[in-house]
Amino acid sequence: MANSFKVKTKTAVGVTPTTIYTGPASTEVTIIGLSVSNIVSSAIEVDVTLENNDGDNIYLVKGAPIPVGSTLIVVGAEQKVVMEASDILKVTSDTASSADVAVSILEIS
């Protein structure tokens, strides 16, 4: 099995659910870090969702507030999240073009 560390980023995420990462076929993924930063001059609220093949789409956070100039650490430190092939990680903000997202992952194929 090959292991590969990667970072995926999206800038200026807004009110439309934005795909940050999709698990590749025949690959298990561990999210080892997920940060969402407020890049506008007012507070924002964000949702981070995990959509999976079995239909149990869930929120990792819902309506989480991020003050001006701040970053929300959704996954990090001792917490990890496992994704399977074709699972989709999405982020949505309540404000247009207001959030930068970085996800650090370990792909195992």
Side-chain angles (χ1 to χ4, degrees):
M1 296 185 95
N3 294 341
S4 181
F5 287 98
K6 296 183 178 182
V7 63
K8 302 293 181 181
T9 60
K10 292 285 183 186
T11 188
V13 171
V15 297
T16 302
T18 301
T19 297
I20 307 302
Y21 180 77
T22 301
S26 303
T27 304
E28 295 174 349
V29 176
T30 301
I31 300 173
I32 54 179
L34 173 57
S35 301
V36 183
S37 298
N38 181 345
I39 60 170
V40 294
S41 58
S42 60
I44 63 173
E45 291 185 358
V46 298
D47 298 339
V48 178
T49 57
L50 181 61
E51 298 179 0
N52 58 35
N53 281 336
D54 65 9
D56 288 337
N57 301 335
I58 63 160
Y59 288 94
L60 296 178
V61 295
K62 181 172 175 50
I66 307 176
V68 174
S70 296
T71 298
L72 173 68
I73 306 299
V74 179
V75 178
E78 294 179 8
Q79 180 194 20
K80 309 294 180 267
V81 175
V82 174
M83 296 176 64
E84 297 178 349
S86 3
D87 287 355
I88 302 170
L89 181 69
K90 292 185 177 182
V91 174
T92 310
S93 174
D94 68 344
T95 304
S97 302
S98 61
D100 283 355
V101 180
V103 60
S104 298
I105 56 174
L106 171 61
E107 290 182 346
I108 304 167
S109 56

